[in-house]
Amino acid sequence: MTDGIFSPSDTTNTKGSVPPPSLATKISYGFGAIAYGVKDNGFGFFLLIFYSQVLGVDARLIGLAMTIALFLDALSDPVVGYWSDNFRSRWGRRHPFMYASALPVAASFFLLWNPPEGWSDMALFWYVLVISVLIRTCITFYETPSSALAPELSDNYDQRSGLLSLRFFFGWTGGNLMAVIMFVVLFPAFVTPTIPNGQFNKDAYSTYGLIASGLIFVAIMVSALGTHRRIAHLKAPPPKRSLSIGLVFKEIFETLANRSFIALFLAAIFGSIASGLSASMTFYFTSFFWGFTPQQTGLLTISVFVSAILGAVMAPIVTKSIGKKQGAMIIGLVAFLGAPLPIVLRLLGVMPENGDPSLFWIVMLANMVDTGLIICFQILSASMLADLVEDAEIKTGRRSEGIFFAASTFIRKSVQGLGVITAGFVLAAAQFPAGVKPDQIPEEALTRLGLYYVPTILFLWLTMLAIMSTYRLKREDHENNLRELASRQSQAVD
């Protein structure tokens, strides 16, 4: 498989000036995404259902706590991004941040799943808020510098898609691994005579927090150590200069004043809200709407491993064949129209009834293919962002990988919580009862759940694609930018 995500033969870079990374470096870089994947999986899929359905806290309170935490944390992203672009050390611009974040992220994630007992709803609201801010701020010091390594590891148009394919592959499979462990191992292990479904046993989540926090620590350290040897080939920070708050923000806004970036930035707002809504509602649909058992939900989760491979393999192929933007638009349209299709068919009375063995296999196949397409779309979008680094450097004269990727995570953090809040309001509009078992949910509430969810998620995704269509940078533009920068460097040396 040449020029793919697993190819060890990328030993020359014919179109860029950065020496290509080795296979070991690519894998180490990608492996680090497990940390963010585990964190995201926990926040997106388990946190709301743990605190609302298991502990009985009002879902809107937890959604509000998560949103406030996201907003407060998002304020740190531009600061960390700019700081890591300009940081000077013997270990380069990025790695000191990565090493320093490992232990605080792991410890705070463990605390989130082990709340104090006997606290009121309002007390648990504040607990979730404080711990969430701590987790998200600490992981910013890892994720932003780590993500910013992608444009530095390779400036080749095709290699970047391959590199980011590995990162998304590990990010999805890492988070998904914890979900599989929950449904296949922990939930069955915590079945008791009084709690016949381990999904509603709080001790299962405590054990999850211990395992997940350990995996987060390992992923960060493997990535930092595995890319450490690459420091000598990374971009140097700018010369020392006197900085003021005004100059810092002036340079940030100059960097981000790029039409193609603004298209990705605005599109990401709608995409992040949709992602937050979709993630928060996933297990409501599997457990309540479809009536799947924890074992069936575990198998659904396992199928995402196939989806991750599908998306990671597709992205470099799509990049080479039709380009990143066109590929993202086509793949995205198919994926986002297809995602709610099983729910629509159920509302129309076409899908088999709950309990019919064929229902599970239909939903699993649809979910596996659609998730693979969504992963491919995400990889292409991230690679489009990476290509803006040189485009901005042409205009500003500065390398600003950290700022670009910080802006991306800023959007994910600052508005994804709106998806969680939206999920809370969808549940409220559907008059979905809290703290009850799947067989106690009225059929009318399940129908209302689908009727409110489908148009909401489609509006968000299709708006995202419409905005993304204004992105302009193509392969030819990127290669012209590389030639222009090489020419400037040559003239500076002369």
Side-chain angles (χ1 to χ4, degrees):
M1 186 176 179
T2 59
D3 291 326
I5 61 171
F6 302 113
S7 172
S9 59
D10 292 335
T11 56
T12 60
N13 187 349
T14 58
K15 295 180 181 178
S17 58
V18 180
S22 66
L23 178 61
T25 301
K26 291 180 183 179
I27 292 175
S28 297
Y29 174 72
F31 191 83
I34 289 176
Y36 200 86
V38 170
K39 187 276 300 178
D40 242 15
N41 185 274
F43 273 85
F45 293 115
F46 293 116
L47 190 61
L48 182 60
I49 202 168
F50 170 52
Y51 277 90
S52 66
Q53 300 299 130
V54 178
L55 299 183
V57 182
D58 189 323
R60 288 169 293 185
L61 274 179
I62 299 304
L64 179 61
M66 293 169 68
T67 301
I68 295 173
L70 281 165
F71 177 76
L72 294 176
D73 171 37
L75 299 178
S76 67
D77 284 294
V79 175
V80 175
Y82 187 88
W83 191 5
S84 72
D85 282 338
N86 293 273
F87 194 75
R88 308 178 69 86
S89 81
R90 58 180 296 199
W91 286 353
R93 298 188 293 170
R94 317 292 182 191
H95 283 74
F97 296 93
M98 296 164 66
Y99 285 120
S101 67
L103 188 58
V105 173
S108 54
F109 195 78
F110 171 79
L111 291 175
L112 184 66
W113 304 99
N114 292 270
E117 295 186 6
W119 282 22
S120 66
D121 281 15
M122 188 54 63
L124 287 174
F125 161 80
W126 286 107
Y127 183 84
V128 171
L129 175 58
V130 172
I131 298 298
S132 295
V133 169
L134 184 61
I135 294 169
R136 293 184 179 280
T137 302
C138 290
I139 206 166
T140 293
F141 279 84
Y142 167 71
E143 182 65 16
T144 295
S146 178
S147 296
L149 284 176
E152 295 190 76
L153 292 173
S154 176
D155 57 13
N156 182 279
Y157 185 84
D158 295 313
Q159 287 178 5
R160 279 179 175 171
S161 289
L163 187 65
L164 287 164
S165 290
L166 271 172
R167 190 164 183 86
F168 276 80
F169 169 78
F170 279 110
W172 273 84
T173 55
N176 194 55
L177 174 64
M178 286 310 307
V180 169
I181 290 173
M182 283 291 270
F183 283 100
V184 177
V185 180
L186 295 182
F187 288 155
F190 283 91
V191 169
T192 69
T194 56
I195 308 177
N197 186 340
Q199 189 173 351
F200 299 96
N201 189 332
K202 66 182 181 63
D203 293 335
Y205 296 88
S206 176
T207 304
Y208 162 83
L210 178 63
I211 298 171
S213 59
L215 184 56
I216 286 173
F217 179 81
V218 170
I220 292 176
M221 293 305 298
V222 166
S223 184
L225 291 169
T227 56
H228 193 99
R229 73 192 75 176
R230 187 74 181 178
I231 291 174
H233 298 290
L234 301 179
K235 300 293 183 180
K240 288 185 178 180
R241 56 207 171 111
S242 177
L243 292 174
S244 65
I245 296 296
L247 179 60
V248 168
F249 281 97
K250 177 177 179 290
E251 290 188 354
I252 290 175
F253 286 120
E254 281 180 354
T255 298
L256 301 181
N258 178 298
R259 178 168 179 173
S260 290
F261 171 76
I262 292 172
L264 293 182
F265 185 85
L266 295 177
I269 292 176
F270 289 91
S272 295
I273 297 173
S275 295
L277 171 60
S278 176
S280 297
M281 298 299 296
T282 293
F283 292 128
Y284 280 91
F285 278 101
T286 57
S287 298
F288 299 107
F289 191 84
W290 300 117
F292 293 151
T293 65
Q295 290 75 23
Q296 287 176 316
T297 305
L299 289 174
L300 266 177
T301 310
I302 290 173
S303 73
V304 176
F305 290 119
V306 179
S307 302
I309 295 173
L310 175 64
V313 170
M314 283 181 62
I317 296 173
V318 171
T319 297
K320 280 197 164 187
S321 58
I322 60 176
K324 298 174 185 178
K325 176 191 171 180
Q326 187 175 355
M329 296 299 296
I330 295 172
I331 296 292
L333 188 61
V334 174
F336 299 133
L337 288 176
L341 185 58
I343 300 171
V344 173
L345 294 177
R346 161 55 60 85
L347 295 175
L348 294 175
V350 177
M351 293 288 279
E353 293 297 320
N354 288 5
D356 188 320
S358 64
L359 175 66
F360 170 74
W361 297 108
I362 293 171
V363 173
M364 188 179 77
L365 180 61
N367 181 74
M368 183 170 64
V369 173
D370 196 74
T371 302
L373 294 176
I374 290 174
I375 294 171
C376 178
F377 170 83
Q378 292 176 340
I379 294 167
L380 295 171
S381 300
S383 195
M384 289 161 66
L385 178 64
D387 291 339
L388 293 178
V389 170
E390 288 81 16
D391 198 54
E393 188 178 2
I394 293 289
K395 298 177 177 65
T396 68
R398 298 186 299 273
R399 295 286 300 190
S400 303
E401 300 92 341
I403 292 178
F404 276 118
F405 282 89
S408 177
T409 55
F410 172 85
I411 284 298
R412 286 209 309 264
K413 292 176 179 179
S414 59
V415 304
Q416 193 173 37
L418 295 178
V420 180
I421 284 186
T422 304
F425 281 110
V426 167
L427 291 169
Q431 300 174 38
F432 202 89
V436 299
K437 304 300 184 288
D439 58 359
Q440 299 173 331
I441 304 295
E443 187 65 32
E444 299 79 15
L446 294 174
T447 299
R448 288 192 296 266
L449 185 66
L451 287 173
Y452 285 115
Y453 173 77
V454 170
T456 303
I457 199 77
L458 282 178
F459 168 78
L460 293 168
W461 274 330
L462 295 179
T463 302
M464 175 192 68
L465 289 177
I467 296 172
M468 185 178 284
S469 67
T470 61
Y471 177 94
R472 290 186 170 184
L473 198 66
K474 299 179 181 178
R475 178 191 296 271
E476 295 78 15
D477 301 316
H478 177 68
E479 292 175 353
N480 288 337
N481 286 338
L482 291 180
R483 282 191 286 268
E484 171 65 20
L485 291 173
S487 175
R488 290 185 185 183
Q489 185 177 12
S490 177
Q491 292 173 9
V493 172
D494 294 341

PDB file of all heavy atoms in Angstrom, residues 177-204:
ATOM      1  N   LEU A 177     -12.327   1.856  22.231  1.00  0.00           N
ATOM      2  CA  LEU A 177     -11.877   0.737  23.053  1.00  0.00           C
ATOM      3  C   LEU A 177     -12.460   0.822  24.461  1.00  0.00           C
ATOM      4  O   LEU A 177     -12.914  -0.182  25.026  1.00  0.00           O
ATOM      5  CB  LEU A 177     -10.349   0.719  23.125  1.00  0.00           C
ATOM      6  CG  LEU A 177      -9.729  -0.318  24.070  1.00  0.00           C
ATOM      7  CD1 LEU A 177     -10.062  -1.730  23.598  1.00  0.00           C
ATOM      8  CD2 LEU A 177      -8.218  -0.115  24.164  1.00  0.00           C
ATOM      9  N   MET A 178     -12.485   2.034  25.011  1.00  0.00           N
ATOM     10  CA  MET A 178     -13.039   2.189  26.355  1.00  0.00           C
ATOM     11  C   MET A 178     -14.537   1.923  26.361  1.00  0.00           C
ATOM     12  O   MET A 178     -15.079   1.366  27.318  1.00  0.00           O
ATOM     13  CB  MET A 178     -12.744   3.587  26.884  1.00  0.00           C
ATOM     14  CG  MET A 178     -11.290   3.808  27.293  1.00  0.00           C
ATOM     15  SD  MET A 178     -10.634   2.519  28.394  1.00  0.00           S
ATOM     16  CE  MET A 178     -11.852   2.511  29.700  1.00  0.00           C
ATOM     17  N   ALA A 179     -15.226   2.309  25.290  1.00  0.00           N
ATOM     18  CA  ALA A 179     -16.663   2.017  25.203  1.00  0.00           C
ATOM     19  C   ALA A 179     -16.899   0.513  25.128  1.00  0.00           C
ATOM     20  O   ALA A 179     -17.831  -0.016  25.750  1.00  0.00           O
ATOM     21  CB  ALA A 179     -17.268   2.725  23.995  1.00  0.00           C
ATOM     22  N   VAL A 180     -16.050  -0.192  24.360  1.00  0.00           N
ATOM     23  CA  VAL A 180     -16.172  -1.652  24.251  1.00  0.00           C
ATOM     24  C   VAL A 180     -15.934  -2.293  25.614  1.00  0.00           C
ATOM     25  O   VAL A 180     -16.670  -3.201  26.036  1.00  0.00           O
ATOM     26  CB  VAL A 180     -15.178  -2.200  23.210  1.00  0.00           C
ATOM     27  CG1 VAL A 180     -15.108  -3.723  23.276  1.00  0.00           C
ATOM     28  CG2 VAL A 180     -15.585  -1.759  21.811  1.00  0.00           C
ATOM     29  N   ILE A 181     -14.905  -1.844  26.317  1.00  0.00           N
ATOM     30  CA  ILE A 181     -14.622  -2.378  27.642  1.00  0.00           C
ATOM     31  C   ILE A 181     -15.827  -2.176  28.569  1.00  0.00           C
ATOM     32  O   ILE A 181     -16.195  -3.058  29.351  1.00  0.00           O
ATOM     33  CB  ILE A 181     -13.361  -1.721  28.238  1.00  0.00           C
ATOM     34  CG1 ILE A 181     -12.110  -2.196  27.480  1.00  0.00           C
ATOM     35  CG2 ILE A 181     -13.218  -2.026  29.727  1.00  0.00           C
ATOM     36  CD1 ILE A 181     -10.830  -1.493  27.883  1.00  0.00           C
ATOM     37  N   MET A 182     -16.462  -1.010  28.439  1.00  0.00           N
ATOM     38  CA  MET A 182     -17.637  -0.735  29.271  1.00  0.00           C
ATOM     39  C   MET A 182     -18.755  -1.737  28.996  1.00  0.00           C
ATOM     40  O   MET A 182     -19.298  -2.347  29.927  1.00  0.00           O
ATOM     41  CB  MET A 182     -18.140   0.689  29.016  1.00  0.00           C
ATOM     42  CG  MET A 182     -17.312   1.761  29.677  1.00  0.00           C
ATOM     43  SD  MET A 182     -17.447   1.754  31.482  1.00  0.00           S
ATOM     44  CE  MET A 182     -18.817   2.867  31.726  1.00  0.00           C
ATOM     45  N   PHE A 183     -19.093  -1.915  27.725  1.00  0.00           N
ATOM     46  CA  PHE A 183     -20.270  -2.718  27.387  1.00  0.00           C
ATOM     47  C   PHE A 183     -20.005  -4.222  27.414  1.00  0.00           C
ATOM     48  O   PHE A 183     -20.896  -5.002  27.735  1.00  0.00           O
ATOM     49  CB  PHE A 183     -20.816  -2.301  26.022  1.00  0.00           C
ATOM     50  CG  PHE A 183     -21.595  -1.019  26.066  1.00  0.00           C
ATOM     51  CD1 PHE A 183     -21.017   0.174  25.683  1.00  0.00           C
ATOM     52  CD2 PHE A 183     -22.901  -1.005  26.524  1.00  0.00           C
ATOM     53  CE1 PHE A 183     -21.731   1.359  25.733  1.00  0.00           C
ATOM     54  CE2 PHE A 183     -23.625   0.178  26.586  1.00  0.00           C
ATOM     55  CZ  PHE A 183     -23.037   1.367  26.193  1.00  0.00           C
ATOM     56  N   VAL A 184     -18.796  -4.606  27.058  1.00  0.00           N
ATOM     57  CA  VAL A 184     -18.500  -6.042  26.965  1.00  0.00           C
ATOM     58  C   VAL A 184     -17.955  -6.600  28.276  1.00  0.00           C
ATOM     59  O   VAL A 184     -18.193  -7.763  28.610  1.00  0.00           O
ATOM     60  CB  VAL A 184     -17.501  -6.303  25.812  1.00  0.00           C
ATOM     61  CG1 VAL A 184     -17.115  -7.770  25.752  1.00  0.00           C
ATOM     62  CG2 VAL A 184     -18.110  -5.865  24.479  1.00  0.00           C
ATOM     63  N   VAL A 185     -17.240  -5.773  29.039  1.00  0.00           N
ATOM     64  CA  VAL A 185     -16.594  -6.268  30.261  1.00  0.00           C
ATOM     65  C   VAL A 185     -17.214  -5.686  31.529  1.00  0.00           C
ATOM     66  O   VAL A 185     -17.714  -6.422  32.383  1.00  0.00           O
ATOM     67  CB  VAL A 185     -15.077  -5.969  30.228  1.00  0.00           C
ATOM     68  CG1 VAL A 185     -14.413  -6.480  31.509  1.00  0.00           C
ATOM     69  CG2 VAL A 185     -14.429  -6.579  28.994  1.00  0.00           C
ATOM     70  N   LEU A 186     -17.195  -4.364  31.653  1.00  0.00           N
ATOM     71  CA  LEU A 186     -17.558  -3.751  32.929  1.00  0.00           C
ATOM     72  C   LEU A 186     -19.050  -3.831  33.239  1.00  0.00           C
ATOM     73  O   LEU A 186     -19.427  -4.195  34.366  1.00  0.00           O
ATOM     74  CB  LEU A 186     -17.086  -2.286  32.960  1.00  0.00           C
ATOM     75  CG  LEU A 186     -15.561  -2.083  32.933  1.00  0.00           C
ATOM     76  CD1 LEU A 186     -15.213  -0.612  33.029  1.00  0.00           C
ATOM     77  CD2 LEU A 186     -14.894  -2.847  34.076  1.00  0.00           C
ATOM     78  N   PHE A 187     -19.902  -3.479  32.286  1.00  0.00           N
ATOM     79  CA  PHE A 187     -21.333  -3.540  32.577  1.00  0.00           C
ATOM     80  C   PHE A 187     -21.791  -4.957  32.944  1.00  0.00           C
ATOM     81  O   PHE A 187     -22.510  -5.134  33.942  1.00  0.00           O
ATOM     82  CB  PHE A 187     -22.147  -2.992  31.405  1.00  0.00           C
ATOM     83  CG  PHE A 187     -22.052  -1.488  31.243  1.00  0.00           C
ATOM     84  CD1 PHE A 187     -22.269  -0.897  29.998  1.00  0.00           C
ATOM     85  CD2 PHE A 187     -21.778  -0.669  32.325  1.00  0.00           C
ATOM     86  CE1 PHE A 187     -22.192   0.475  29.852  1.00  0.00           C
ATOM     87  CE2 PHE A 187     -21.695   0.713  32.183  1.00  0.00           C
ATOM     88  CZ  PHE A 187     -21.908   1.289  30.930  1.00  0.00           C
ATOM     89  N   PRO A 188     -21.376  -5.991  32.200  1.00  0.00           N
ATOM     90  CA  PRO A 188     -21.750  -7.348  32.633  1.00  0.00           C
ATOM     91  C   PRO A 188     -21.154  -7.723  33.991  1.00  0.00           C
ATOM     92  O   PRO A 188     -21.784  -8.437  34.773  1.00  0.00           O
ATOM     93  CB  PRO A 188     -21.191  -8.238  31.522  1.00  0.00           C
ATOM     94  CG  PRO A 188     -21.117  -7.357  30.323  1.00  0.00           C
ATOM     95  CD  PRO A 188     -20.756  -6.013  30.861  1.00  0.00           C
ATOM     96  N   ALA A 189     -19.940  -7.241  34.264  1.00  0.00           N
ATOM     97  CA  ALA A 189     -19.280  -7.601  35.525  1.00  0.00           C
ATOM     98  C   ALA A 189     -19.956  -6.957  36.736  1.00  0.00           C
ATOM     99  O   ALA A 189     -19.820  -7.454  37.850  1.00  0.00           O
ATOM    100  CB  ALA A 189     -17.810  -7.190  35.486  1.00  0.00           C
ATOM    101  N   PHE A 190     -20.674  -5.853  36.516  1.00  0.00           N
ATOM    102  CA  PHE A 190     -21.288  -5.145  37.630  1.00  0.00           C
ATOM    103  C   PHE A 190     -22.800  -5.343  37.696  1.00  0.00           C
ATOM    104  O   PHE A 190     -23.512  -4.526  38.270  1.00  0.00           O
ATOM    105  CB  PHE A 190     -20.934  -3.657  37.563  1.00  0.00           C
ATOM    106  CG  PHE A 190     -19.532  -3.369  38.031  1.00  0.00           C
ATOM    107  CD1 PHE A 190     -18.471  -3.368  37.139  1.00  0.00           C
ATOM    108  CD2 PHE A 190     -19.263  -3.139  39.371  1.00  0.00           C
ATOM    109  CE1 PHE A 190     -17.175  -3.118  37.559  1.00  0.00           C
ATOM    110  CE2 PHE A 190     -17.976  -2.886  39.808  1.00  0.00           C
ATOM    111  CZ  PHE A 190     -16.925  -2.889  38.911  1.00  0.00           C
ATOM    112  N   VAL A 191     -23.284  -6.445  37.119  1.00  0.00           N
ATOM    113  CA  VAL A 191     -24.674  -6.844  37.300  1.00  0.00           C
ATOM    114  C   VAL A 191     -24.839  -7.407  38.714  1.00  0.00           C
ATOM    115  O   VAL A 191     -24.026  -8.210  39.175  1.00  0.00           O
ATOM    116  CB  VAL A 191     -25.083  -7.900  36.250  1.00  0.00           C
ATOM    117  CG1 VAL A 191     -26.426  -8.512  36.585  1.00  0.00           C
ATOM    118  CG2 VAL A 191     -25.117  -7.277  34.857  1.00  0.00           C
ATOM    119  N   THR A 192     -25.869  -6.972  39.401  1.00  0.00           N
ATOM    120  CA  THR A 192     -26.157  -7.454  40.755  1.00  0.00           C
ATOM    121  C   THR A 192     -27.633  -7.848  40.832  1.00  0.00           C
ATOM    122  O   THR A 192     -28.416  -7.518  39.944  1.00  0.00           O
ATOM    123  CB  THR A 192     -25.858  -6.360  41.802  1.00  0.00           C
ATOM    124  OG1 THR A 192     -26.822  -5.313  41.664  1.00  0.00           O
ATOM    125  CG2 THR A 192     -24.450  -5.807  41.640  1.00  0.00           C
ATOM    126  N   PRO A 193     -28.030  -8.544  41.896  1.00  0.00           N
ATOM    127  CA  PRO A 193     -29.452  -8.897  42.040  1.00  0.00           C
ATOM    128  C   PRO A 193     -30.376  -7.685  42.043  1.00  0.00           C
ATOM    129  O   PRO A 193     -31.513  -7.755  41.575  1.00  0.00           O
ATOM    130  CB  PRO A 193     -29.498  -9.629  43.385  1.00  0.00           C
ATOM    131  CG  PRO A 193     -28.120 -10.195  43.540  1.00  0.00           C
ATOM    132  CD  PRO A 193     -27.206  -9.177  42.937  1.00  0.00           C
ATOM    133  N   THR A 194     -29.893  -6.571  42.569  1.00  0.00           N
ATOM    134  CA  THR A 194     -30.724  -5.362  42.602  1.00  0.00           C
ATOM    135  C   THR A 194     -30.526  -4.468  41.382  1.00  0.00           C
ATOM    136  O   THR A 194     -31.349  -3.584  41.120  1.00  0.00           O
ATOM    137  CB  THR A 194     -30.419  -4.539  43.865  1.00  0.00           C
ATOM    138  OG1 THR A 194     -29.020  -4.241  43.903  1.00  0.00           O
ATOM    139  CG2 THR A 194     -30.802  -5.333  45.114  1.00  0.00           C
ATOM    140  N   ILE A 195     -29.428  -4.660  40.624  1.00  0.00           N
ATOM    141  CA  ILE A 195     -29.157  -3.876  39.413  1.00  0.00           C
ATOM    142  C   ILE A 195     -28.909  -4.872  38.275  1.00  0.00           C
ATOM    143  O   ILE A 195     -27.760  -5.228  37.976  1.00  0.00           O
ATOM    144  CB  ILE A 195     -27.940  -2.943  39.583  1.00  0.00           C
ATOM    145  CG1 ILE A 195     -28.082  -2.091  40.849  1.00  0.00           C
ATOM    146  CG2 ILE A 195     -27.789  -2.023  38.366  1.00  0.00           C
ATOM    147  CD1 ILE A 195     -26.900  -1.194  41.129  1.00  0.00           C
ATOM    148  N   PRO A 196     -29.970  -5.360  37.620  1.00  0.00           N
ATOM    149  CA  PRO A 196     -29.808  -6.389  36.588  1.00  0.00           C
ATOM    150  C   PRO A 196     -29.112  -5.899  35.320  1.00  0.00           C
ATOM    151  O   PRO A 196     -28.647  -6.707  34.525  1.00  0.00           O
ATOM    152  CB  PRO A 196     -31.251  -6.804  36.275  1.00  0.00           C
ATOM    153  CG  PRO A 196     -32.088  -5.648  36.707  1.00  0.00           C
ATOM    154  CD  PRO A 196     -31.383  -5.042  37.861  1.00  0.00           C
ATOM    155  N   ASN A 197     -29.032  -4.584  35.125  1.00  0.00           N
ATOM    156  CA  ASN A 197     -28.316  -4.002  33.986  1.00  0.00           C
ATOM    157  C   ASN A 197     -27.150  -3.194  34.543  1.00  0.00           C
ATOM    158  O   ASN A 197     -27.335  -2.141  35.150  1.00  0.00           O
ATOM    159  CB  ASN A 197     -29.251  -3.110  33.165  1.00  0.00           C
ATOM    160  CG  ASN A 197     -28.592  -2.585  31.886  1.00  0.00           C
ATOM    161  OD1 ASN A 197     -27.371  -2.566  31.778  1.00  0.00           O
ATOM    162  ND2 ASN A 197     -29.404  -2.170  30.935  1.00  0.00           N
ATOM    163  N   GLY A 198     -25.923  -3.708  34.339  1.00  0.00           N
ATOM    164  CA  GLY A 198     -24.739  -3.057  34.886  1.00  0.00           C
ATOM    165  C   GLY A 198     -24.514  -1.654  34.383  1.00  0.00           C
ATOM    166  O   GLY A 198     -23.719  -0.896  34.957  1.00  0.00           O
ATOM    167  N   GLN A 199     -25.210  -1.267  33.306  1.00  0.00           N
ATOM    168  CA  GLN A 199     -25.093   0.084  32.770  1.00  0.00           C
ATOM    169  C   GLN A 199     -25.590   1.126  33.784  1.00  0.00           C
ATOM    170  O   GLN A 199     -25.245   2.296  33.681  1.00  0.00           O
ATOM    171  CB  GLN A 199     -25.899   0.192  31.469  1.00  0.00           C
ATOM    172  CG  GLN A 199     -25.694   1.490  30.697  1.00  0.00           C
ATOM    173  CD  GLN A 199     -26.384   1.455  29.350  1.00  0.00           C
ATOM    174  OE1 GLN A 199     -26.876   0.418  28.916  1.00  0.00           O
ATOM    175  NE2 GLN A 199     -26.419   2.587  28.678  1.00  0.00           N
ATOM    176  N   PHE A 200     -26.376   0.685  34.756  1.00  0.00           N
ATOM    177  CA  PHE A 200     -26.931   1.604  35.738  1.00  0.00           C
ATOM    178  C   PHE A 200     -26.308   1.403  37.122  1.00  0.00           C
ATOM    179  O   PHE A 200     -26.872   1.818  38.129  1.00  0.00           O
ATOM    180  CB  PHE A 200     -28.452   1.433  35.793  1.00  0.00           C
ATOM    181  CG  PHE A 200     -29.114   1.745  34.481  1.00  0.00           C
ATOM    182  CD1 PHE A 200     -29.417   0.735  33.577  1.00  0.00           C
ATOM    183  CD2 PHE A 200     -29.401   3.053  34.131  1.00  0.00           C
ATOM    184  CE1 PHE A 200     -30.002   1.016  32.359  1.00  0.00           C
ATOM    185  CE2 PHE A 200     -29.995   3.350  32.913  1.00  0.00           C
ATOM    186  CZ  PHE A 200     -30.298   2.335  32.019  1.00  0.00           C
ATOM    187  N   ASN A 201     -25.112   0.779  37.138  1.00  0.00           N
ATOM    188  CA  ASN A 201     -24.370   0.589  38.382  1.00  0.00           C
ATOM    189  C   ASN A 201     -23.213   1.582  38.421  1.00  0.00           C
ATOM    190  O   ASN A 201     -22.308   1.544  37.576  1.00  0.00           O
ATOM    191  CB  ASN A 201     -23.845  -0.848  38.469  1.00  0.00           C
ATOM    192  CG  ASN A 201     -23.264  -1.168  39.838  1.00  0.00           C
ATOM    193  OD1 ASN A 201     -22.764  -0.291  40.547  1.00  0.00           O
ATOM    194  ND2 ASN A 201     -23.316  -2.440  40.210  1.00  0.00           N
ATOM    195  N   LYS A 202     -23.221   2.485  39.401  1.00  0.00           N
ATOM    196  CA  LYS A 202     -22.205   3.538  39.441  1.00  0.00           C
ATOM    197  C   LYS A 202     -20.799   2.991  39.647  1.00  0.00           C
ATOM    198  O   LYS A 202     -19.810   3.633  39.257  1.00  0.00           O
ATOM    199  CB  LYS A 202     -22.530   4.557  40.522  1.00  0.00           C
ATOM    200  CG  LYS A 202     -22.476   4.055  41.940  1.00  0.00           C
ATOM    201  CD  LYS A 202     -22.867   5.143  42.923  1.00  0.00           C
ATOM    202  CE  LYS A 202     -22.799   4.659  44.366  1.00  0.00           C
ATOM    203  NZ  LYS A 202     -21.430   4.288  44.763  1.00  0.00           N
ATOM    204  N   ASP A 203     -20.666   1.788  40.232  1.00  0.00           N
ATOM    205  CA  ASP A 203     -19.337   1.215  40.443  1.00  0.00           C
ATOM    206  C   ASP A 203     -18.648   0.877  39.124  1.00  0.00           C
ATOM    207  O   ASP A 203     -17.415   0.874  39.043  1.00  0.00           O
ATOM    208  CB  ASP A 203     -19.438  -0.038  41.312  1.00  0.00           C
ATOM    209  CG  ASP A 203     -19.868   0.278  42.732  1.00  0.00           C
ATOM    210  OD1 ASP A 203     -19.636   1.417  43.179  1.00  0.00           O
ATOM    211  OD2 ASP A 203     -20.451  -0.608  43.395  1.00  0.00           O
ATOM    212  N   ALA A 204     -19.437   0.593  38.101  1.00  0.00           N
ATOM    213  CA  ALA A 204     -18.856   0.315  36.780  1.00  0.00           C
ATOM    214  C   ALA A 204     -18.140   1.550  36.252  1.00  0.00           C
ATOM    215  O   ALA A 204     -17.071   1.451  35.624  1.00  0.00           O
ATOM    216  CB  ALA A 204     -19.946  -0.126  35.810  1.00  0.00           C
TER     217      ALA A 204
END
